[in-house]
Amino acid sequence: MTAEEMKADGAPLEGADITPKRDEGVLKVVKREGSGTESPMIGDKVTVHYTGWLLDGTKFDSSLDRRDKFSFDLGKGEVIKAWDIAVATMKVGEICRITCKPEYAYGSAGSPPKIPPNATLIFEIELFEFKGEDLTDDEDGGIIRRIRKKGEGYSKPNEGALVEIQFEGRYGDRVFDRRELRFEIGEGDNYDLPHGLEKAIQKMEKSEESVFYLKPNYGFGSAGKEKFQIPPDAELQYEVKLKSFEKAKESWEMNTDEKLEQSCIVKERGTQYFKEGKYKQAALQYKKIVSWLEHESGLSDEEETKAKSLRLAAHLNLAMCHLKLKEYSQALENCNKALELDSNNEKGLFRRGEAHLAVNDFELARGDFQKVIQLYPSNKAAKVQLVTCQQKIREQHEKEKKMYANMFQRLADKDLKSAATLQTSHTEDEEMKDEQNGVEDKSEVDTEA
C-alpha cells in the first residue's frame, strides 16, 4: 500500500465507527467477508495476520513479512485497544482495515523508534481462528469459557461462597435446564449442577455473562442425568450470568473459635453427604477442616485437643471417601496423616490396609491388618481381610514359583539344545578328520606303488 493509495479519497479514514463510545476512535472497513455467524469473545485465543502503516504509508510492522501468524488473548489488554475492539467484530476468514486514533493505539508516548507520539495508525487484519479459554487445571479442554460480557472488578467466588446465578443448560439444540439459583459453591450436586460448572463459576467476576462448554467428565459423566434426559458421556453447554456472590471467609480471616465452630458444622455436612453416597461432596467438606486447622498454632490445651480430634476425623473420613472413589493413593496419604496424629488408630490402620490391598501390596496390607488384630483382637473385619491377604500372598508365591520353574526349564532346555548342537558339531568334525586321514593314506600307498 502506497502513501497515495492511503490518501486517495480519504479511504483509510472512512469506515464504520466500532468504538463503544462512538467517538470515531476506531473505524473499520471490511475488505473480505468472513464465514460463519460467530465472532471471538473476551478471553478467546485468536490467531491473525496483520500489517501496520503510518498515515504517510510507512509500513512499520507485518506478520506476513515474518511469515509468522500472531496469537493473543482477546480483551485481556495484551494488544492495543483498537485491536481488542476490532477483532471482536470479525469472523473467521475476514480481512478488514482499521484506522485507529492515538488514544486507541500507542497514545502520546508512541512506540519508538517506529511509531511517533500521537500517531494515527492503519492496520489490515485477517482472522484465521479463535478458541475459548481452557479453565481446567490440567488444560485438558474439559471446561472451555467464552465471555459474552466482561464482569466487574477482580474478585471471584471461592469454595463455600454463596452465589446467585441465572443460567441455561443445553444438550445439542435442546434446552434441558433454565433457572435462577442461589446456592453455596460445593453444594451444586444438591441442585443438579455438574461439578465442572461449579468449577467454572469460581472463575467468574460479578455480572459476567459467559458460555461454558463441558466435556463429559466435567458434566454428568458416564452416568448421564436421567432427570434431564442426558445420556452417558454427553457434552454440555451452559450460558451463565453471575448476578452476585458473597465470598466465604478464607482461613486467614477466621479466628481459632470460628475455625473450630465451622469445622464442626462442615464435618456434620460431610457426614450427611457420605451417607447419601455423595463422596466427592463429602470430601470437599472434610478438606475444609484440614485447610483450616492443619497449621493452626498458639492454641490452648483445650483448643489443641479439639483441633486434633477434628483433624483426625477429617483425615479418616477423607480416606474412606477416597476408598469409595477408588482413589487409593489419596486414601493412603490421608491414612498416613491420621496415623501421624494417632499411630495406633484402629480405623487408620484398617483403611490403610484396605488401600494397600486394593493396589496389590499384600505384604503391607497384611502388616496393617495384623497390627489391628494385635491392638484390637475383637476386630472381625481385620481377621477376614488378613485371611484374604494370606491367600493372595500364597497365590502370588505359587505364581512366582511357576514362573521361575518355567524360566529354569527354558534355560535347561536351552543348555541341552546347546550341548546337543555342540556334540553334533564335534562328531562331524571327527568324521571329517577320519575321511581326511583315509585320503592321505590312500595317496601314500599310490605313491609307493
Side-chain angles (χ1 to χ4, degrees), residues 276-295:
E276 294 170 2
K278 298 174 180 176
Y279 305 122
K280 286 186 177 180
Q281 286 74 20
L284 285 173
Q285 302 304 316
Y286 299 134
K287 283 177 182 176
K288 290 179 184 179
I289 299 172
V290 175
S291 69
W292 290 336
L293 299 178
E294 189 170 27
H295 302 295

Side-chain angles (χ1 to χ4, degrees), residues 308 311-317 319 331-345 347-349 351-352:
K308 183 178 178 180
R311 286 171 57 205
L312 178 61
H315 284 302
L316 290 171
N317 292 342
L332 281 169
E333 181 183 340
N334 278 283
C335 287
N336 288 331
K337 289 280 188 181
L339 291 167
E340 285 175 15
L341 295 167
D342 178 4
S343 60
N344 292 328
N345 185 271
K347 290 178 180 178
L349 290 166
R351 289 171 190 174
R352 188 171 70 177

Side-chain angles (χ1 to χ4, degrees), residues 178-242:
R178 182 188 286 122
R179 283 181 281 167
E180 288 195 18
L181 184 63
R182 185 177 172 87
F183 74 103
E184 185 179 305
I185 295 290
E187 306 275 323
D189 188 63
N190 292 339
Y191 301 92
D192 301 307
L193 300 180
H195 73 97
L197 184 60
E198 284 195 277
K199 189 176 182 69
I201 291 169
Q202 291 182 71
K203 303 289 186 178
M204 298 181 75
E205 296 164 349
K206 182 183 176 184
S207 300
E208 178 181 315
E209 297 176 23
S210 289
V211 184
F212 299 104
Y213 301 88
L214 307 184
K215 294 288 187 185
N217 53 330
Y218 291 92
F220 294 122
S222 57
K225 191 74 173 178
E226 187 177 350
K227 177 178 179 178
F228 297 135
Q229 297 179 312
I230 303 296
D233 300 317
E235 296 190 5
L236 308 174
Q237 176 183 326
Y238 280 88
E239 294 202 25
V240 183
K241 178 178 180 180
L242 179 57

Side-chain angles (χ1 to χ4, degrees), residues 387-402:
V387 171
T388 301
C389 282
Q390 289 169 335
Q391 178 63 31
K392 292 287 186 182
I393 289 169
R394 279 196 297 271
E395 289 173 4
Q396 192 175 49
H397 287 168
E398 285 298 318
K399 188 177 179 181
E400 289 172 355
K401 188 177 176 182
K402 286 179 182 178

Side-chain angles (χ1 to χ4, degrees), residues 92-324:
V92 170
E94 178 180 322
I95 298 176
C96 73
R97 185 178 300 163
I98 61 169
T99 305
C100 27
K101 289 183 178 178
E103 54 268 35
Y104 288 89
Y106 293 97
S108 59
S111 183
K114 294 185 177 180
I115 300 173
N118 298 310
T120 295
L121 305 178
I122 296 166
F123 289 95
E124 192 162 279
I125 304 172
E126 179 178 1
L127 177 62
F128 286 89
E129 66 172 356
F130 57 86
K131 56 185 178 181
E133 179 185 6
D134 188 344
L135 298 182
T136 60
D137 297 332
D138 299 328
E139 296 186 350
D140 58 16
I143 308 173
I144 298 296
R145 170 171 65 177
R146 305 195 61 219
I147 302 172
R148 290 197 189 280
K149 180 186 172 188
K150 188 171 171 55
E152 304 168 4
Y154 299 97
S155 183
K156 298 176 177 65
N158 59 349
E159 185 71 37
L162 188 62
V163 300
E164 185 177 358
I165 60 171
Q166 179 181 319
F167 72 95
E168 179 179 278
R170 287 180 175 271
Y171 169 60
D173 295 328
R174 177 172 64 87
V175 175
F176 65 83
D177 194 7
R178 182 188 286 122
R179 283 181 281 167
E180 288 195 18
L181 184 63
R182 185 177 172 87
F183 74 103
E184 185 179 305
I185 295 290
E187 306 275 323
D189 188 63
N190 292 339
Y191 301 92
D192 301 307
L193 300 180
H195 73 97
L197 184 60
E198 284 195 277
K199 189 176 182 69
I201 291 169
Q202 291 182 71
K203 303 289 186 178
M204 298 181 75
E205 296 164 349
K206 182 183 176 184
S207 300
E208 178 181 315
E209 297 176 23
S210 289
V211 184
F212 299 104
Y213 301 88
L214 307 184
K215 294 288 187 185
N217 53 330
Y218 291 92
F220 294 122
S222 57
K225 191 74 173 178
E226 187 177 350
K227 177 178 179 178
F228 297 135
Q229 297 179 312
I230 303 296
D233 300 317
E235 296 190 5
L236 308 174
Q237 176 183 326
Y238 280 88
E239 294 202 25
V240 183
K241 178 178 180 180
L242 179 57
K243 299 177 75 174
S244 66
F245 68 90
E246 298 170 21
K247 290 189 75 167
K249 274 190 175 183
E250 301 286 359
S251 180
W252 55 269
E253 296 176 299
M254 300 164 65
N255 61 36
T256 299
D257 287 339
E258 287 176 311
K259 289 177 182 179
L260 292 170
E261 181 184 359
Q262 287 301 308
S263 292
C264 290
I265 292 170
V266 298
K267 177 174 174 282
E268 291 304 315
R269 190 182 299 160
T271 302
Q272 186 59 41
Y273 278 137
F274 188 89
K275 288 177 181 177
E276 294 170 2
K278 298 174 180 176
Y279 305 122
K280 286 186 177 180
Q281 286 74 20
L284 285 173
Q285 302 304 316
Y286 299 134
K287 283 177 182 176
K288 290 179 184 179
I289 299 172
V290 175
S291 69
W292 290 336
L293 299 178
E294 189 170 27
H295 302 295
E296 192 73 359
S297 59
L299 305 179
S300 66
D301 290 344
E302 184 182 350
E303 290 170 337
E304 181 63 44
T305 301
K306 190 172 183 180
K308 183 178 178 180
S309 174
L310 284 164
R311 286 171 57 205
L312 178 61
H315 284 302
L316 290 171
N317 292 342
L318 275 168
M320 196 66 209
C321 288
H322 290 306
L323 283 171
K324 292 288 187 182

Side-chain angles (χ1 to χ4, degrees), residues 13-142:
L13 301 181
E14 292 180 352
D17 183 358
I18 57 173
T19 58
K21 296 179 181 179
R22 292 291 182 263
D23 59 8
E24 297 188 342
V26 185
L27 303 176
K28 176 185 174 184
V29 176
V30 177
K31 307 294 289 183
R32 184 181 77 192
E33 295 287 348
S35 59
T37 57
E38 287 199 41
S39 295
M41 296 183 193
I42 298 166
D44 284 0
K45 176 77 73 178
V46 299
T47 302
V48 301
H49 258 319
Y50 69 93
T51 303
W53 297 271
L54 302 178
L55 269 184
D56 65 4
T58 302
K59 180 165 62 175
F60 60 82
D61 193 13
S62 175
S63 63
L64 287 163
D65 292 348
R66 294 192 300 274
R67 296 182 181 179
D68 185 18
K69 291 172 185 169
F70 177 66
S71 296
F72 65 97
D73 295 331
L74 188 68
K76 300 286 188 176
E78 296 179 5
V79 292
I80 60 174
K81 288 181 185 177
W83 273 44
D84 273 338
I85 293 168
V87 175
T89 69
M90 299 178 70
K91 295 178 175 60
V92 170
E94 178 180 322
I95 298 176
C96 73
R97 185 178 300 163
I98 61 169
T99 305
C100 27
K101 289 183 178 178
E103 54 268 35
Y104 288 89
Y106 293 97
S108 59
S111 183
K114 294 185 177 180
I115 300 173
N118 298 310
T120 295
L121 305 178
I122 296 166
F123 289 95
E124 192 162 279
I125 304 172
E126 179 178 1
L127 177 62
F128 286 89
E129 66 172 356
F130 57 86
K131 56 185 178 181
E133 179 185 6
D134 188 344
L135 298 182
T136 60
D137 297 332
D138 299 328
E139 296 186 350
D140 58 16

